[in-house]
C-alpha cells in the first residue's frame, strides 16, 4: 500500500528515481490467475536517455533535456499551454467541463475506488484519479491566479514547475484510460478523466508531445497516408480483394465486398487495425450485410477507410480534421449514413464528440452517424438471417467498451444479440454502464513503445482479466470446457485483451479466447455449413 | 452593536449579486462538445443506462427527456449525498450529510424567523426553534467530524490545503457559536436570535448576548465569503451535471447549437505544436492535413 507516502509536491522532486514503482506483492490479487510474469525493472538504457522518473514506465519517450535552455523551453511551453487550456477561444471544446471540474472538486476521494488502474496497482497514490488533477490545479493557482500569487500555500499554490514536473506530468497524463468510471461516481460530477485528457491536449497541441503511436504514427499518418496503420488507398483495394478471397476460403461462398459504391445507404468504416490483425471481423460484417440485403459500401478514400480518430484522446484539432474527412467521403459517395464497425473510441469520436464539430451540411441531420451494434441486433431480430445458437454452445461473456456503453448508452443491442445466438452467455461483474475498462482505453492498446506494455498489462488490464476469470470460474478447466470466448465488440479492447491474455498465459492455461460480436453471429448462421470461428487459433 | 446589523444587509446583497454573477459566468461559457455519461437520468431508458443511440435511424425520430427523473436524481444527491454514501470508503458520509443538512436548516431557520417577524406568524415558533437547534447540532457534528477526518486520514490530508481546513473551521465556528449561545442562554437564545433579526429588519440594533452576535456575524461573513470560495459548488454542480453530463442534444443543421458552434469555429488558434498552423481559425485548421506543410 503506497497510500499517503507520496505527496502532491513530489511531482517536482529532482532525480531519476521514480516516484513509485509497481511491486508484484502489492498488485491486486486475481483468483485463478496462476503464475504470471514478474515486473521487469526499468532498462538502464531508457533511464539514461528518456524521462522514466514517474513510475519507471514510459509511453512517450521524452528525451531528457541536455541544457538549461532545453529545460527552460519545456517549462515555458508547458505554462503557455496551460494558459491556453483555460482560454475560451483557444480551448472552447471542453472549457466549461474542465473549468468546473478544476475549480470545484471537493477532494472527497469518492472516485478513487472506481479506478481499475488504481485498484489493480495496489492503490498506488500516483494512479489515484485526483492525483494528477490536484497537481495541475496547484500549478494553475500558483502561476495564473491572483489568490495563488497573494496567498500561496494557503490556497494550495505550492507545486513548482521545473522540467521534471513537466515531463512527469506528460507521462502521468498517460496513466488514465479516460474510461470515466471515476466521473460516473463523483457526487459533484467532477471529471478527472477529462482533466487527464485536457492535460494530454496541452502537450499535444502546444508542445507536440504525445505517444508516437497516437500523434505521429496515429493522426498525422492517418491524415497524410490514409490510415494510422500506414495502409494507403491502393493497399486498401488489395485488402478488400484479400478479404473476398479469405471469405471464400472460410465459408465456401463468394461474397463481393462493395467499395466506393455510389448511392449506398451506409458507408461502413472499420478501425483499419481490423484489416491487419483480425480480418475475420470486417469479413464477418461483409457476410452479414450481404446476407441481410443491406445497401452498404466501404470507401477507398484516404482517411475514410480507417474509423480511428486518435484526436479523441489528446487533440481537438486532429479530431476535427479526421471527423470532417469521414463525413466528406460519405457525402461524396452520396451515402445517407456513416456506420462505424466494432470500435468503441471511433464510434464515440464520430457519433458523439464530433457532433459539435460537424456543422451545417456536415451535421447529423444531413449525414447520420451510428454505431453498428443496433443494426447487428436488428439483423437478428428481424429474422433477415437465420441463426442456429447451438453452434455457439460454449461459454461466452461480454466486455462493454466504455466508449460505446458508459459514454453513449448503447447497452442492450449487444446483449440481446448474444442472448439470441450464444446459449451460454453470462455477464461479467460489474457490467454495462458500470463496467471496468479493458485497460487499453485512450490509446493504450496501440502503445507498444518502451516498457509501456508492462504497465498496461499489470495495472491497466489486470481488472479485466480478473472479471473474465470470475465470469468463467466454473469452466476454466480446458479438459472439461475446451473453449471460452470473451466477446469484445471493440478493436482497441480486443488489442488490449489479446496482449493481456498472452501476458498472463490464459490461452495456454484455460483456452480462453476473445473476439468480436459479428464473428459469433456468422459462426451461427444456418446458411453457412462450417464454423467461422477457428477454435484452435489464438491471434 | 450596529455593525452586524448593517453587515447583514450587505452580506445578503453580496451573496445574491455574486451568486447571480457566478451563475451567469458559468452559463456564458462556450458551448462544449458533447461529453455526456450514462446512466443519464433524463433518458427514458435510464433504468438500465440506455440511450437513443441504441436505436436505428434515431436522428429524425422524436426524442424527449424525462425532466422529473433529473430533478429526483439531483435531489437525491443534494439531500442524501447518495454517491458519497454508496462509494466513499473514508467514512465521510455521516459528517458530510450532517454538515450539509446543518447548512440547509440554518437557512431555513433564518427564513422562518424572518417570516415569523414580518408576517406575524408566531404560531410556527416551536417549529422554528426545533429547526434552529437541529441545524446547530448536526452542523457542528458534521463540520467538526469532517475537519477531524481530513486531519487524521493521511490520504485525505494529502489533498487538503489550508484553505479547505479554513472553510471547515469557518463552518464549524458558525454552528458552534450558535450552539454555545443556546447552551449558555437556554430559551433566551431564541429570543435573542429573533431580536437580532428584528433589529436587522428595522435597522435598530438590539442588545443580545455576545455569542449570538458572534454567531450571526460569522454567518453574515460566510454569506459574503461563500460565492468566492469552493463552497459555491452547489451552483457549479448544476452545470457539471445538467449542462455537461446530461447534455445529449444532437446538432441539427440550422439549430441554435449549429449556429453557436459555427460561431465558435471562427475563433483563431495560437497553439504551437508543429501540426497546427498558428493564426488560422478552427474551420480553416480542419482543411489542413499537417501544419508542417504550410509553415
Amino acid at each position: 500500500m503506497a497510500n499517503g507516502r507520496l505527496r502532491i509536491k513530489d511531482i517536482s522532486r529532482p532525480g531519476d528515481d521514480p516516484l513509485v514503482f509497481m511491486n508484484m506483492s502489492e498488485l491486486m490479487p486475481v483468483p485463478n490467475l496462476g503464475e504470471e510474469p514478474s515486473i521487469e525493472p526499468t532498462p538502464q538504457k531508457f533511464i539514461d536517455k528518456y524521462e522514466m522518473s514517474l513510475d519507471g514506465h514510459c509511453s512517450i519517450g521524452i528525451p531528457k533535456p541536455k541544457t538549461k535552455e532545453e529545460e527552460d523551453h519545456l517549462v515555458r511551453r508547458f505554462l503557455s499551454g496551460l494558459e491556453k487550456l483555460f482560454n475560451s477561444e483557444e480551448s472552447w471544446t471542453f472549457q466549461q467541463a474542465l473549468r468546473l471540474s478544476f475549480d470545484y472538486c471537493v477532494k472527497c476521494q469518492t472516485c478513487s475506488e472506481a479506478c481499475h488502474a488504481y485498484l489493480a496497482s495496489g492503490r498506488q497514490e500516483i494512479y489515484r484519479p485526483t492525483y494528477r488533477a490536484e497537481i495541475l490545479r496547484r500549478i494553475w493557482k500558483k502561476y495564473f491566479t491572483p489568490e495563488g500569487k497573494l496567498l500561496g500555500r494557503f490556497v494550495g499554490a505550492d507545486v513548482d514547475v521545473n522540467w521534471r514536473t513537466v515531463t512527469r506530468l506528460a507521462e502521468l497524463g498517460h496513466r488514465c484510460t479516460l474510461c470515466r468510471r471515476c466521473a460516473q461516481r463523483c457526487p459533484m460530477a467532477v471529471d478527472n478523466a477529462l482533466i487527464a485528457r485536457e492535460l494530454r491536449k496541452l502537450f499535444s497541441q502546444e508542445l507536440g508531445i504525445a505517444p508516437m503511436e497516437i500523434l505521429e504514427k496515429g493522426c498525422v499518418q492517418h491524415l497524410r497516408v490514409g490510415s494510422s496503420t500506414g495502409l494507403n488507398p491502393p493497399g486498401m483495394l488489395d485488402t478488400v480483394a484479400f478479404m473476398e478471397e479469405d471469405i471464400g476460403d472460410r465459408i465456401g461462398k463468394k461474397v463481393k465486398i462493395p467499395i466506393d459504391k455510389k448511392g449506398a445507404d451506409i458507408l461502413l468504416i472499420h478501425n483499419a487495425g481490423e484489416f491487419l490483425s483480425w480480418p475475420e471481423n470486417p469479413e464477418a460484417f461483409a457476410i452479414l450485410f450481404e446476407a441481410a440485403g443491406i445497401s452498404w459500401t466501404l470507401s477507398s478514400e484516404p482517411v475514410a477507410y480507417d474509423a480511428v480518430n486518435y484526436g479523441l484522446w489528446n487533440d481537438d484539432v486532429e479530431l476535427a480534421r479526421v471527423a470532417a474527412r469521414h463525413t466528406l467521403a460519405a457525402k461524396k459517395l452520396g451515402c445517407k449514413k456513416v456506420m462505424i464497425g466494432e470500435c468503441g473510441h471511433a464510434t464515440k469520436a464520430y457519433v458523439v464528440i464530433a457532433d459539435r464539430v460537424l456543422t451545417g451540411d456536415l451535421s447529423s441531420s444531413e449525414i447520420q452517424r451510428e454505431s453498428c451494434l443496433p443494426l447487428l441486433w436488428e439483423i437478428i431480430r428481424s429474422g433477415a438471417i437465420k441463426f442456429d445458437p447451438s453452434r455457439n454452445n460454449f461459454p461466452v461473456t461480454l466486455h462493454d467498451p466504455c466508449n460505446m456503453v458508459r459514454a453513449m448508452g448503447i447497452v442492450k443491442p449487444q446483449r440481446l444479440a448474444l442472448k439470441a445466438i450464444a446459449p451460454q452467455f453470462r455477464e461479467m461483474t460489474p457490467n454495462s454502464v458500470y463496467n471496468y475498462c479493458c485497460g487499453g482505453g485512450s490509446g493504450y492498446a496501440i502503445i507498444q513503445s518502451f516498457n509501456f506494455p508492462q504497465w498496461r498489462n499489470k495495472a491497466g488490464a489486470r481488472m479485466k482479466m480478473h472479471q473474465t476469470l470470475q465470469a468463467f470460474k466454473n469452466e476454466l478447466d480446458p479438459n472439461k470446457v475446451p473453449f471460452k470466448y470473451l466477446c469484445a465488440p471493440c478493436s482497441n479492447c480486443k488489442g488490449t485483451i489479446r496482449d493481456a491474455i498472452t501476458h498472463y498465459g490464459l490461452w495456454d492455461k484455460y483456452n480462453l479466447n476473445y473476439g468480436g460480436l459479428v464473428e459469433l453471429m456468422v459462426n451461427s448462421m444456418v446458411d453457412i455449413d462450417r464454423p467461422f470461428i477457428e477454435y484452435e487459433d489464438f491471434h | 452593536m450596529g455593525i452586524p446589523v448593517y453587515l447583514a444587509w450587505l452580506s445578503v446583497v453580496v451573496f445574491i449579486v455574486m451568486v447571480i454573477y457566478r451563475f451567469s459566468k458559468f452559463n456564458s461559457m462556450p458551448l462544449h462538445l458533447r461529453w455526456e455519461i450514462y446512466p443519464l437520468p433524463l433518458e427514458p431508458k435510464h433504468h438500465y443506462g440506455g440511450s437513443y443511440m441504441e436505436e436505428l435511424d434515431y436522428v429524425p425520430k422524436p426524442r424527449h427527456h424525462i425532466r422529473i427523473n433529473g430533478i429526483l436524481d439531483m435531489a437525491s444527491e443534494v439531500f442524501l449525498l447518495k454517491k458519497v454514501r454508496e462509494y466513499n470508503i473514508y467514512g465521510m458520509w455521516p459528517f458530510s450529510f450532517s454538515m450539509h443538512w446543518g447548512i440547509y436548516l440554518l437557512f431555513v431557520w433564518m427564513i422562518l424567523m424572518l417570516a415569523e417577524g414580518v408576517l406575524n406568524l408566531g404560531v410556527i415558533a416551536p417549529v422554528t426553534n426545533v429547526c434552529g437547534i437541529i441545524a446547530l447540532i448536526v452542523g457542528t457534528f458534521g463540520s467538526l467530524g469532517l475537519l477531524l477526518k481530513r486531519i487524521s486520514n493521511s490520504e485525505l490530508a494529502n489533498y487538503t490545503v489550508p484553505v479547505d481546513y479554513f472553510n471547515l473551521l469557518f463552518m464549524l465556528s458558525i454552528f458552534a457559536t450558535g450552539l454555545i449561545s443556546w447552551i449558555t442562554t437556554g430559551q433566551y437564545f431564541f429570543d435573542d436570535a429573533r431580536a437580532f433579526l428584528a433589529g436587522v429588519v428595522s435597522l435598530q440594533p438590539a442588545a443580545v448576548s455576545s455569542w449570538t452576535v458572534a454567531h450571526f456575524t460569522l454567518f453574515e461573513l460566510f454569506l459574503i465569503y461563500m460565492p468566492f470560495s469552493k463552497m459555491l459548488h452547489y451552483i457549479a454542480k448544476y452545470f457539471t451535471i445538467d449542462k455537461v453530463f446530461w447534455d445529449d442534444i444532437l446538432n441539427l443543421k440550422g439549430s441554435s447549437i449549429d449556429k453557436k458552434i459555427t460561431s465558435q469555429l471562427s475563433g483563431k488558434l495560437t497553439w504551437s505544436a508543429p501540426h497546427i498552423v498558428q493564426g488560422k481559425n478552427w474551420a480553416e485548421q480542419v482543411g489542413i492535413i499537417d501544419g508542417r506543410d504550410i509553415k
Side-chain angles (χ1 to χ4, degrees):
Chain A
M1 297 284 284
N3 287 331
R5 289 179 201 158
L6 192 71
R7 297 170 309 150
I8 305 294
K9 286 160 68 171
D10 287 340
I11 195 77
S12 307
R13 84 181 181 204
D16 281 339
D17 287 345
L19 302 185
V20 297
F21 194 79
M22 280 190 295
N23 187 319
M24 288 295 287
S25 64
E26 291 175 345
L27 295 180
M28 179 186 75
V30 179
N32 298 312
L33 191 64
E35 263 191 62
E36 62 175 300
S38 57
I39 296 175
E40 295 296 320
T42 314
Q44 189 59 43
K45 62 179 179 181
F46 292 166
I47 296 173
D48 291 342
K49 200 168 173 190
Y50 300 107
E51 164 52 46
M52 305 293 291
S53 69
L54 177 74
D55 57 0
H57 291 85
C58 169
S59 64
I60 305 174
I62 304 174
K64 287 181 185 169
K66 295 188 181 72
T67 62
K68 180 77 170 59
E69 283 70 35
E70 285 183 12
E71 291 177 10
D72 292 345
H73 178 74
L74 269 176
V75 170
R76 215 169 36 246
R77 294 283 293 278
F78 170 79
L79 289 174
S80 112
L82 187 56
E83 196 171 15
K84 288 174 191 172
L85 205 56
F86 288 97
N87 178 299
S88 287
E89 193 165 294
E90 297 279 0
S91 191
W92 61 267
T93 47
F94 291 107
Q95 188 63 212
Q96 189 178 48
L98 175 68
R99 185 83 229 193
L100 295 173
S101 288
F102 215 63
D103 288 347
Y104 292 100
C105 172
V106 296
K107 297 176 265 188
C108 63
Q109 310 302 342
T110 304
C111 57
S112 301
E113 294 296 303
C115 176
H116 62 104
Y118 174 67
L119 296 177
S121 71
R123 295 188 169 84
Q124 296 283 354
E125 194 64 35
I126 201 168
Y127 307 134
R128 190 191 284 273
T130 49
Y131 187 74
R132 75 181 65 74
E134 183 63 13
I135 293 165
L136 208 56
R137 187 176 291 119
R138 292 188 187 193
I139 292 172
W140 170 256
K141 277 192 179 161
K142 177 164 181 165
Y143 291 88
F144 296 104
T145 67
E147 71 268 26
K149 286 175 180 158
L150 200 66
L151 301 170
R153 191 177 162 272
F154 180 74
V155 292
D158 61 356
V159 173
D160 295 322
V161 177
N162 54 39
W163 74 269
R164 284 283 184 189
T165 322
V166 176
T167 52
R168 283 192 184 119
L169 267 177
E171 276 297 328
L172 190 53
H174 294 84
R175 298 296 184 275
C176 162
T177 59
L178 311 187
C179 79
R180 300 180 70 210
R181 204 166 184 271
C182 57
Q184 192 182 43
R185 285 194 175 185
C186 178
M188 301 292 307
V190 161
D191 197 334
N192 284 302
L194 177 70
I195 293 176
R197 193 263 178 198
E198 294 296 279
L199 173 62
R200 294 183 192 189
K201 181 168 96 181
L202 183 169
F203 279 102
S204 181
Q205 293 190 178
E206 183 67 7
L207 293 98
I209 289 177
M212 182 181 62
E213 293 89 342
I214 293 180
L215 186 59
E216 287 305 320
K217 288 195 170 178
C219 292
V220 172
Q221 178 163 253
H222 193 184
L223 289 158
R224 278 191 180 282
V225 178
S227 164
S228 59
T229 62
L231 188 71
N232 59 19
M236 177 59 189
L237 295 173
D238 289 346
T239 300
V240 169
F242 162 78
M243 288 196 299
E244 287 178 340
E245 201 177 313
D246 197 42
I247 289 172
D249 293 343
R250 281 172 177 273
I251 67 170
K253 286 183 183 179
K254 209 172 168 185
V255 170
K256 177 79 186 149
I257 298 177
I259 186 147
D260 299 326
K261 184 178 154 191
K262 289 213 178 263
D265 287 345
I266 296 171
L267 168 62
L268 177 66
I269 313 182
H270 293 290
N271 178 325
E274 299 284 332
F275 300 134
L276 302 181
S277 299
W278 306 282
E280 66 274 16
N281 182 280
E283 288 168 13
F285 269 96
I287 295 165
L288 288 167
F289 280 18
E290 175 166 292
I294 291 165
S295 166
W296 71 289
T297 185
L298 298 178
S299 168
S300 69
E301 182 88 9
V303 185
Y305 52 83
D306 190 352
V308 305
N309 194 336
Y310 295 164
L312 173 70
W313 304 319
N314 69 346
D315 200 303
D316 297 336
V317 176
E318 296 290 78
L319 178 132
R321 287 171 176 168
V322 170
R325 281 160 180 79
H326 284 154
T327 309
L328 289 168
K331 272 188 88 78
K332 195 172 158 187
L333 288 171
C335 297
K336 295 175 194 152
K337 181 188 289 185
V338 179
M339 188 166 279
I340 307 293
E342 293 187 2
C343 181
H345 95 271
T347 307
K348 182 175 88 171
Y350 192 51
V351 177
V352 175
I353 309 296
D355 193 44
R356 292 183 186 168
V357 171
L358 303 169
T359 55
D361 289 341
L362 303 184
S363 65
S364 60
S365 52
E366 309 308 297
I367 303 272
Q368 296 182 39
R369 304 183 300 271
E370 288 182 11
S371 155
C372 64
L373 296 177
L375 180 60
L376 296 179
W377 164 235
E378 179 62 18
I379 288 171
I380 298 172
R381 192 202 62 77
S382 65
I385 298 175
K386 290 208 173 347
F387 296 95
D388 175 5
S390 70
R391 294 188 185 181
N392 287 332
N393 195 18
F394 43 80
V396 174
T397 192
L398 173 68
H399 162 66
D400 287 292
C402 304
N403 283 309
M404 284 197 276
V405 183
R406 184 161 31 254
M408 292 182 70
I410 302 176
V411 181
K412 262 195 179 170
Q414 60 272 39
R415 290 184 155 70
L416 293 170
L418 283 174
K419 282 174 187 165
I421 61 165
Q424 294 192 52
F425 167 63
R426 81 284 315 272
E427 295 278 8
M428 58 173 66
T429 307
N431 58 59
S432 65
V433 289
Y434 302 110
N435 72 325
Y436 280 111
C437 173
C438 64
S442 78
Y444 296 176
I446 54 167
I447 300 175
Q448 302 293 353
S449 298
F450 305 98
N451 59 352
F452 190 74
Q454 173 167 273
W455 187 89
R456 183 183 62 228
N457 286 323
K458 291 300 189 197
R462 194 174 183 83
M463 184 64 85
K464 188 52 60 182
M465 292 301 102
H466 173 57
Q467 285 188 282
T468 306
L469 290 172
Q470 283 298 107
F472 294 134
K473 66 182 176 189
N474 298 322
E475 293 113 342
L476 287 173
D477 186 346
N479 297 315
K480 291 180 184 162
V481 184
F483 189 75
K484 273 88 56 180
Y485 192 89
L486 169 52
C487 176
C490 167
S491 193
N492 280 2
C493 299
K494 281 192 303 194
T496 308
I497 287 166
R498 174 192 59 200
D499 289 0
I501 289 177
T502 305
H503 177 81
Y504 291 110
L506 301 180
W507 167 248
D508 295 332
K509 289 174 193 166
Y510 302 128
N511 283 7
L512 171 59
N513 213 329
Y514 71 98
L517 175 61
V518 284
E519 293 92 316
L520 281 174
M521 289 175 68
V522 174
N523 200 50
S524 59
M525 277 174 67
V526 170
D527 286 349
I528 294 175
D529 61 3
R530 62 197 78 175
F532 186 74
I533 291 174
E534 296 168 341
Y535 294 104
E536 301 301 319
D537 182 33
F538 179 87
H539 67 277
Chain B
M1 292 296 283
I3 291 174
V5 165
Y6 301 115
L7 187 66
W9 285 98
L10 177 69
S11 66
V12 170
V13 170
V14 171
F15 177 77
I16 292 171
V17 168
M18 280 311 298
V19 166
I20 293 170
Y21 172 73
R22 286 293 177 112
F23 186 93
S24 63
K25 284 287 275 186
F26 296 156
N27 200 39
S28 63
M29 283 177 165
L31 181 65
H32 50 77
L33 302 184
R34 275 173 60 193
W35 196 245
E36 70 258 35
I37 197 164
Y38 293 84
L40 200 155
L42 306 179
E43 245 292 334
K45 300 173 181 179
H46 76 281
H47 55 283
Y48 67 87
S51 79
Y52 61 79
M53 287 174 279
E54 288 188 327
E55 294 161 30
L56 274 177
D57 303 318
Y58 62 79
V59 172
K61 288 180 185 172
R63 283 177 298 280
H64 71 284
H65 280 162
I66 306 176
R67 208 69 221 175
I68 186 68
N69 283 348
I71 292 168
L72 290 174
D73 189 83
M74 216 177 279
S76 73
E77 281 305 323
V78 171
F79 295 116
L80 301 176
L81 281 68
K82 192 177 71 175
K83 287 181 179 169
V84 179
R85 188 185 63 202
E86 286 180 20
Y87 301 126
N88 188 285
I89 64 161
Y90 301 97
M92 296 179 93
W93 182 78
F95 305 115
S96 193
F97 177 79
S98 299
M99 189 184 75
H100 281 88
W101 269 98
I103 298 168
Y104 304 152
L105 291 175
L106 195 65
F107 275 92
V108 172
W109 180 50
M110 302 280 178
I111 291 166
L112 286 178
M113 283 195 292
L114 283 171
E116 273 182 39
V118 175
L119 303 174
N120 208 14
L121 289 175
V123 67
I124 64 166
V127 175
T128 308
N129 293 352
V130 169
C131 179
I133 291 309
I134 294 174
L136 298 175
I137 292 172
V138 299
T140 303
F141 169 76
S143 47
L144 180 63
L146 280 180
L147 190 62
L148 296 176
K149 187 64 98 176
R150 284 197 176 271
I151 291 168
S152 62
N153 186 303
S154 63
E155 291 177 50
L156 297 172
N158 202 14
Y159 293 81
T160 309
V161 298
V163 70
D164 299 324
Y165 292 120
F166 172 80
N167 290 345
L168 285 170
L169 268 172
F170 199 167
M171 297 300 310
L172 177 61
S173 68
I174 297 168
F175 292 120
T177 48
L179 198 59
I180 292 168
S181 184
W182 176 57
I183 289 168
T184 53
T185 61
Q187 192 61 29
Y188 294 117
F189 169 65
F190 300 115
D191 297 338
D192 270 5
R194 286 184 176 85
F196 181 88
L197 281 184
V200 168
V201 172
S202 64
L203 286 175
Q204 299 285 326
V208 298
S209 84
S210 53
W211 282 112
T212 305
V213 173
H215 170 68
F216 280 97
T217 307
L218 285 166
F219 182 70
E220 290 158 7
L221 291 172
F222 173 73
L223 287 182
I224 294 172
Y225 172 69
M226 193 228 271
F228 297 94
S229 77
K230 205 193 302 179
M231 289 185 281
L232 192 74
H233 61 234
Y234 54 93
I235 301 286
K237 191 169 174 165
Y238 164 71
F239 285 94
T240 55
I241 294 177
D242 196 68
K243 302 296 180 198
V244 180
F245 279 19
W246 295 356
D247 179 4
D248 63 350
I249 301 169
L250 274 173
N251 178 29
L252 307 174
K253 185 181 177 183
S255 66
S256 61
I257 287 179
D258 202 37
K259 287 171 188 158
K260 268 188 196 168
I261 297 292
T262 303
S263 153
Q264 287 172 192
L265 288 172
S266 65
K268 284 192 166 47
L269 295 181
T270 63
W271 292 96
S272 304
H275 61 281
I276 297 172
V277 185
Q278 286 189 314
K280 299 261 185 208
N281 67 29
W282 283 91
E284 290 163 340
Q285 294 285 351
V286 169
I288 295 162
I289 287 178
D290 189 336
R292 281 163 285 210
D293 298 338
I294 292 172
K295 283 169 184 170

